[in-house]
Amino acid sequence: MSTYSEVRLMKDGAVVAYLAPTTQITPVSKNDPFTGTLSKGKGAIARDVRRWYWEVTIQGVFESSTNLPADHRAALQNLFGLSEVSAEIQMRRIYQYALGVGGNFDLYTPQILYTARNENELRFDPAYPQDPIRLPQVVFDEIRGPYEAGKSRIEWMLKFISGFSRKGEEEE
């Protein structure tokens, strides 16, 4: 049984959202190889240029704090400073941080930590299977979830891209 804090989004050491209850976590590793075709239709070119990136999609439900276990309810009350935290308020906070704050976030999931700020902090060495995989921080790529005022339950989907933030290295 997972706890409400196993899947959480953080910014600068502070909790942005407890992404719970979570129904599905789907990490995807993608390579961006060079591809092309040979002249006169004589085949294709595929070259591994080792440009990997990661996506993670998380689906879940925000519920009114009155419907949640005591520890989850208390965490939400502390986070928002309210005695009752609606699903709508939790969803609005996602939009507030995605649109108003932006940047890179720490994302904690049970199997992979998206918290590395540089290449030295990456961890996926097979010699240490007891250590969680640690990939770069995430940025918002997509938010799906109906904005419905007054709903006690909102199903949502968040898609993130994992990568490093480097000024001057962005490509157009």
Side-chain angles (χ1 to χ4, degrees):
M1 175 127 182
S2 64
T3 66
Y4 70 90
S5 63
E6 274 189 320
V7 183
R8 67 190 184 282
L9 188 65
M10 298 184 72
K11 179 78 172 179
D12 300 325
V15 173
V16 171
Y18 297 109
L19 302 176
T22 303
T23 57
Q24 185 173 351
I25 301 171
T26 308
V28 177
S29 300
K30 290 187 170 189
N31 192 4
D32 186 18
F34 170 81
T35 59
T37 56
L38 294 172
S39 63
K40 300 180 185 172
K42 294 183 179 177
I45 299 169
R47 184 172 45 241
D48 183 3
V49 291
R50 297 186 61 212
R51 291 191 306 206
W52 283 89
Y53 66 99
W54 299 272
E55 295 176 353
V56 60
T57 303
I58 301 175
Q59 294 177 322
V61 177
F62 287 138
E63 294 193 38
S64 170
S65 61
T66 58
N67 300 332
L68 298 171
D71 59 344
H72 191 173
R73 181 172 47 250
L76 287 174
Q77 289 169 337
N78 287 337
L79 182 61
F80 288 92
L82 300 170
S83 60
E84 183 178 338
V85 180
S86 69
E88 177 184 357
I89 290 172
Q90 294 172 71
M91 193 72 207
R92 280 179 175 246
R93 187 167 170 103
I94 293 294
Y95 282 109
Q96 173 193 9
Y97 273 84
L99 303 174
V101 177
N104 289 56
F105 294 81
D106 289 326
L107 175 64
Y108 293 83
T109 70
Q111 304 301 321
I112 302 173
L113 307 178
Y114 298 90
T115 60
R117 286 165 173 70
N118 59 54
E119 288 89 349
N120 294 332
E121 294 183 0
L122 295 172
R123 297 286 180 270
F124 41 78
D125 190 335
Y128 301 97
Q130 70 279 8
D131 292 346
I133 291 176
R134 189 169 180 201
L135 296 176
Q137 291 180 300
V138 298
V139 296
F140 280 94
D141 183 48
E142 186 177 342
I143 299 171
R144 291 187 188 190
Y147 176 76
E148 297 181 56
K151 291 286 187 180
S152 63
R153 183 178 163 91
I154 297 176
E155 292 184 17
W156 50 264
M157 184 279 297
L158 304 175
K159 181 178 169 189
F160 299 97
I161 302 296
S162 171
F164 299 115
S165 177
R166 291 191 183 134
K167 301 238 184 285
E169 286 193 26
E170 288 87 5
E171 295 179 18
E172 291 296 320

mmCIF file of all heavy atoms in Angstrom, residues 83-108:
data_model
loop_
_atom_site.group_PDB
_atom_site.id
_atom_site.type_symbol
_atom_site.label_atom_id
_atom_site.label_comp_id
_atom_site.label_asym_id
_atom_site.label_seq_id
_atom_site.Cartn_x
_atom_site.Cartn_y
_atom_site.Cartn_z
ATOM 1 N N SER A 83 -8.883 24.194 6.545
ATOM 2 C CA SER A 83 -9.414 23.012 7.232
ATOM 3 C C SER A 83 -9.999 22.014 6.241
ATOM 4 O O SER A 83 -9.993 20.817 6.493
ATOM 5 C CB SER A 83 -10.463 23.415 8.262
ATOM 6 O OG SER A 83 -11.529 24.087 7.624
ATOM 7 N N GLU A 84 -10.493 22.503 5.097
ATOM 8 C CA GLU A 84 -10.991 21.607 4.050
ATOM 9 C C GLU A 84 -10.357 22.024 2.730
ATOM 10 O O GLU A 84 -10.400 23.197 2.352
ATOM 11 C CB GLU A 84 -12.508 21.671 3.931
ATOM 12 C CG GLU A 84 -13.047 20.698 2.910
ATOM 13 C CD GLU A 84 -14.564 20.708 2.806
ATOM 14 O OE1 GLU A 84 -15.244 21.134 3.751
ATOM 15 O OE2 GLU A 84 -15.061 20.293 1.745
ATOM 16 N N VAL A 85 -9.753 21.057 2.039
ATOM 17 C CA VAL A 85 -9.074 21.326 0.773
ATOM 18 C C VAL A 85 -9.827 20.585 -0.328
ATOM 19 O O VAL A 85 -9.885 19.365 -0.333
ATOM 20 C CB VAL A 85 -7.600 20.873 0.820
ATOM 21 C CG1 VAL A 85 -6.913 21.158 -0.509
ATOM 22 C CG2 VAL A 85 -6.869 21.556 1.972
ATOM 23 N N SER A 86 -10.393 21.339 -1.244
ATOM 24 C CA SER A 86 -11.186 20.734 -2.317
ATOM 25 C C SER A 86 -10.288 20.208 -3.435
ATOM 26 O O SER A 86 -9.122 20.595 -3.568
ATOM 27 C CB SER A 86 -12.165 21.759 -2.891
ATOM 28 O OG SER A 86 -11.450 22.766 -3.589
ATOM 29 N N ALA A 87 -10.865 19.362 -4.265
ATOM 30 C CA ALA A 87 -10.167 18.879 -5.458
ATOM 31 C C ALA A 87 -9.837 20.054 -6.373
ATOM 32 O O ALA A 87 -8.764 20.121 -6.973
ATOM 33 C CB ALA A 87 -11.027 17.848 -6.179
ATOM 34 N N GLU A 88 -10.744 20.997 -6.457
ATOM 35 C CA GLU A 88 -10.556 22.178 -7.302
ATOM 36 C C GLU A 88 -9.331 22.981 -6.861
ATOM 37 O O GLU A 88 -8.530 23.420 -7.699
ATOM 38 C CB GLU A 88 -11.806 23.052 -7.227
ATOM 39 C CG GLU A 88 -11.696 24.329 -8.005
ATOM 40 C CD GLU A 88 -12.919 25.227 -7.840
ATOM 41 O OE1 GLU A 88 -13.884 24.833 -7.171
ATOM 42 O OE2 GLU A 88 -12.868 26.340 -8.379
ATOM 43 N N ILE A 89 -9.158 23.177 -5.575
ATOM 44 C CA ILE A 89 -8.006 23.930 -5.063
ATOM 45 C C ILE A 89 -6.704 23.215 -5.406
ATOM 46 O O ILE A 89 -5.718 23.849 -5.796
ATOM 47 C CB ILE A 89 -8.132 24.157 -3.542
ATOM 48 C CG1 ILE A 89 -9.266 25.155 -3.261
ATOM 49 C CG2 ILE A 89 -6.824 24.646 -2.944
ATOM 50 C CD1 ILE A 89 -9.605 25.298 -1.791
ATOM 51 N N GLN A 90 -6.692 21.894 -5.292
ATOM 52 C CA GLN A 90 -5.494 21.129 -5.624
ATOM 53 C C GLN A 90 -5.163 21.254 -7.114
ATOM 54 O O GLN A 90 -3.996 21.427 -7.488
ATOM 55 C CB GLN A 90 -5.684 19.667 -5.238
ATOM 56 C CG GLN A 90 -5.806 19.457 -3.735
ATOM 57 C CD GLN A 90 -6.174 18.035 -3.405
ATOM 58 O OE1 GLN A 90 -5.350 17.135 -3.559
ATOM 59 N NE2 GLN A 90 -7.413 17.807 -2.964
ATOM 60 N N MET A 91 -6.180 21.208 -7.967
ATOM 61 C CA MET A 91 -5.975 21.332 -9.410
ATOM 62 C C MET A 91 -5.507 22.741 -9.768
ATOM 63 O O MET A 91 -4.610 22.919 -10.589
ATOM 64 C CB MET A 91 -7.263 20.986 -10.156
ATOM 65 C CG MET A 91 -7.080 20.778 -11.640
ATOM 66 S SD MET A 91 -6.224 19.214 -11.935
ATOM 67 C CE MET A 91 -5.447 19.568 -13.490
ATOM 68 N N ARG A 92 -6.078 23.746 -9.105
ATOM 69 C CA ARG A 92 -5.653 25.131 -9.355
ATOM 70 C C ARG A 92 -4.187 25.333 -9.000
ATOM 71 O O ARG A 92 -3.483 26.104 -9.649
ATOM 72 C CB ARG A 92 -6.514 26.101 -8.545
ATOM 73 C CG ARG A 92 -7.855 26.386 -9.160
ATOM 74 C CD ARG A 92 -8.639 27.342 -8.266
ATOM 75 N NE ARG A 92 -9.871 27.727 -8.888
ATOM 76 C CZ ARG A 92 -10.149 28.960 -9.294
ATOM 77 N NH1 ARG A 92 -9.272 29.925 -9.137
ATOM 78 N NH2 ARG A 92 -11.303 29.233 -9.841
ATOM 79 N N ARG A 93 -3.713 24.653 -7.967
ATOM 80 C CA ARG A 93 -2.309 24.794 -7.574
ATOM 81 C C ARG A 93 -1.381 24.243 -8.658
ATOM 82 O O ARG A 93 -0.307 24.798 -8.907
ATOM 83 C CB ARG A 93 -2.066 24.099 -6.236
ATOM 84 C CG ARG A 93 -0.670 24.353 -5.681
ATOM 85 C CD ARG A 93 -0.611 23.917 -4.237
ATOM 86 N NE ARG A 93 0.723 23.899 -3.712
ATOM 87 C CZ ARG A 93 1.224 24.841 -2.909
ATOM 88 N NH1 ARG A 93 0.483 25.872 -2.553
ATOM 89 N NH2 ARG A 93 2.453 24.735 -2.451
ATOM 90 N N ILE A 94 -1.785 23.160 -9.307
ATOM 91 C CA ILE A 94 -1.003 22.619 -10.422
ATOM 92 C C ILE A 94 -0.880 23.683 -11.516
ATOM 93 O O ILE A 94 0.204 23.966 -12.013
ATOM 94 C CB ILE A 94 -1.639 21.330 -10.978
ATOM 95 C CG1 ILE A 94 -1.571 20.201 -9.943
ATOM 96 C CG2 ILE A 94 -0.988 20.912 -12.306
ATOM 97 C CD1 ILE A 94 -0.172 19.724 -9.606
ATOM 98 N N TYR A 95 -2.007 24.283 -11.893
ATOM 99 C CA TYR A 95 -1.979 25.332 -12.914
ATOM 100 C C TYR A 95 -1.155 26.533 -12.457
ATOM 101 O O TYR A 95 -0.411 27.125 -13.244
ATOM 102 C CB TYR A 95 -3.403 25.780 -13.279
ATOM 103 C CG TYR A 95 -4.109 24.807 -14.196
ATOM 104 C CD1 TYR A 95 -5.152 24.029 -13.736
ATOM 105 C CD2 TYR A 95 -3.723 24.681 -15.527
ATOM 106 C CE1 TYR A 95 -5.796 23.134 -14.576
ATOM 107 C CE2 TYR A 95 -4.359 23.794 -16.376
ATOM 108 C CZ TYR A 95 -5.400 23.027 -15.896
ATOM 109 O OH TYR A 95 -6.026 22.141 -16.726
ATOM 110 N N GLN A 96 -1.285 26.916 -11.203
ATOM 111 C CA GLN A 96 -0.533 28.053 -10.667
ATOM 112 C C GLN A 96 0.970 27.837 -10.843
ATOM 113 O O GLN A 96 1.688 28.726 -11.299
ATOM 114 C CB GLN A 96 -0.860 28.242 -9.184
ATOM 115 C CG GLN A 96 -0.008 29.287 -8.502
ATOM 116 C CD GLN A 96 -0.131 29.248 -6.985
ATOM 117 O OE1 GLN A 96 -0.716 28.339 -6.407
ATOM 118 N NE2 GLN A 96 0.431 30.246 -6.340
ATOM 119 N N TYR A 97 1.450 26.649 -10.492
ATOM 120 C CA TYR A 97 2.884 26.388 -10.595
ATOM 121 C C TYR A 97 3.323 26.163 -12.032
ATOM 122 O O TYR A 97 4.412 26.585 -12.427
ATOM 123 C CB TYR A 97 3.288 25.219 -9.694
ATOM 124 C CG TYR A 97 3.609 25.681 -8.299
ATOM 125 C CD1 TYR A 97 2.607 25.863 -7.361
ATOM 126 C CD2 TYR A 97 4.914 25.979 -7.932
ATOM 127 C CE1 TYR A 97 2.897 26.315 -6.079
ATOM 128 C CE2 TYR A 97 5.218 26.433 -6.657
ATOM 129 C CZ TYR A 97 4.204 26.599 -5.744
ATOM 130 O OH TYR A 97 4.500 27.055 -4.487
ATOM 131 N N ALA A 98 2.514 25.488 -12.827
ATOM 132 C CA ALA A 98 2.890 25.236 -14.226
ATOM 133 C C ALA A 98 2.933 26.533 -15.018
ATOM 134 O O ALA A 98 3.904 26.793 -15.743
ATOM 135 C CB ALA A 98 1.909 24.262 -14.866
ATOM 136 N N LEU A 99 1.902 27.374 -14.867
ATOM 137 C CA LEU A 99 1.794 28.582 -15.681
ATOM 138 C C LEU A 99 2.436 29.806 -15.035
ATOM 139 O O LEU A 99 3.007 30.636 -15.728
ATOM 140 C CB LEU A 99 0.315 28.877 -15.962
ATOM 141 C CG LEU A 99 -0.463 27.755 -16.654
ATOM 142 C CD1 LEU A 99 -1.930 28.109 -16.751
ATOM 143 C CD2 LEU A 99 0.126 27.442 -18.008
ATOM 144 N N GLY A 100 2.352 29.926 -13.725
ATOM 145 C CA GLY A 100 2.828 31.117 -13.048
ATOM 146 C C GLY A 100 4.256 31.056 -12.565
ATOM 147 O O GLY A 100 4.935 32.076 -12.470
ATOM 148 N N VAL A 101 4.748 29.871 -12.251
ATOM 149 C CA VAL A 101 6.095 29.720 -11.706
ATOM 150 C C VAL A 101 7.019 29.094 -12.748
ATOM 151 O O VAL A 101 8.067 29.636 -13.075
ATOM 152 C CB VAL A 101 6.091 28.882 -10.405
ATOM 153 C CG1 VAL A 101 7.496 28.662 -9.896
ATOM 154 C CG2 VAL A 101 5.215 29.538 -9.348
ATOM 155 N N GLY A 102 6.635 27.937 -13.259
ATOM 156 C CA GLY A 102 7.408 27.252 -14.296
ATOM 157 C C GLY A 102 8.767 26.788 -13.818
ATOM 158 O O GLY A 102 9.055 26.740 -12.629
ATOM 159 N N GLY A 103 9.608 26.432 -14.781
ATOM 160 C CA GLY A 103 10.951 25.959 -14.471
ATOM 161 C C GLY A 103 10.991 24.470 -14.174
ATOM 162 O O GLY A 103 10.057 23.727 -14.474
ATOM 163 N N ASN A 104 12.084 24.052 -13.580
ATOM 164 C CA ASN A 104 12.287 22.631 -13.263
ATOM 165 C C ASN A 104 11.755 22.313 -11.867
ATOM 166 O O ASN A 104 11.856 23.125 -10.958
ATOM 167 C CB ASN A 104 13.770 22.285 -13.342
ATOM 168 C CG ASN A 104 14.265 22.273 -14.768
ATOM 169 O OD1 ASN A 104 14.133 23.239 -15.493
ATOM 170 N ND2 ASN A 104 14.833 21.159 -15.174
ATOM 171 N N PHE A 105 11.213 21.107 -11.730
ATOM 172 C CA PHE A 105 10.630 20.620 -10.483
ATOM 173 C C PHE A 105 11.268 19.286 -10.114
ATOM 174 O O PHE A 105 11.708 18.540 -10.989
ATOM 175 C CB PHE A 105 9.120 20.395 -10.642
ATOM 176 C CG PHE A 105 8.330 21.650 -10.869
ATOM 177 C CD1 PHE A 105 8.240 22.229 -12.126
ATOM 178 C CD2 PHE A 105 7.657 22.256 -9.816
ATOM 179 C CE1 PHE A 105 7.507 23.378 -12.337
ATOM 180 C CE2 PHE A 105 6.913 23.412 -10.015
ATOM 181 C CZ PHE A 105 6.841 23.973 -11.279
ATOM 182 N N ASP A 106 11.277 18.978 -8.828
ATOM 183 C CA ASP A 106 11.634 17.636 -8.365
ATOM 184 C C ASP A 106 10.363 16.812 -8.360
ATOM 185 O O ASP A 106 9.339 17.244 -7.823
ATOM 186 C CB ASP A 106 12.201 17.681 -6.941
ATOM 187 C CG ASP A 106 13.580 18.310 -6.874
ATOM 188 O OD1 ASP A 106 14.361 18.149 -7.825
ATOM 189 O OD2 ASP A 106 13.884 18.950 -5.851
ATOM 190 N N LEU A 107 10.431 15.621 -8.952
ATOM 191 C CA LEU A 107 9.298 14.701 -8.967
ATOM 192 C C LEU A 107 9.747 13.399 -8.327
ATOM 193 O O LEU A 107 10.737 12.801 -8.757
ATOM 194 C CB LEU A 107 8.816 14.456 -10.402
ATOM 195 C CG LEU A 107 7.703 13.428 -10.570
ATOM 196 C CD1 LEU A 107 6.417 13.892 -9.886
ATOM 197 C CD2 LEU A 107 7.451 13.150 -12.051
ATOM 198 N N TYR A 108 9.025 12.990 -7.305
ATOM 199 C CA TYR A 108 9.337 11.748 -6.597
ATOM 200 C C TYR A 108 8.296 10.707 -6.960
ATOM 201 O O TYR A 108 7.099 10.948 -6.829
ATOM 202 C CB TYR A 108 9.323 11.985 -5.086
ATOM 203 C CG TYR A 108 10.431 12.900 -4.624
ATOM 204 C CD1 TYR A 108 10.303 14.283 -4.697
ATOM 205 C CD2 TYR A 108 11.619 12.373 -4.135
ATOM 206 C CE1 TYR A 108 11.320 15.122 -4.300
ATOM 207 C CE2 TYR A 108 12.647 13.213 -3.727
ATOM 208 C CZ TYR A 108 12.491 14.579 -3.810
ATOM 209 O OH TYR A 108 13.505 15.416 -3.410
#
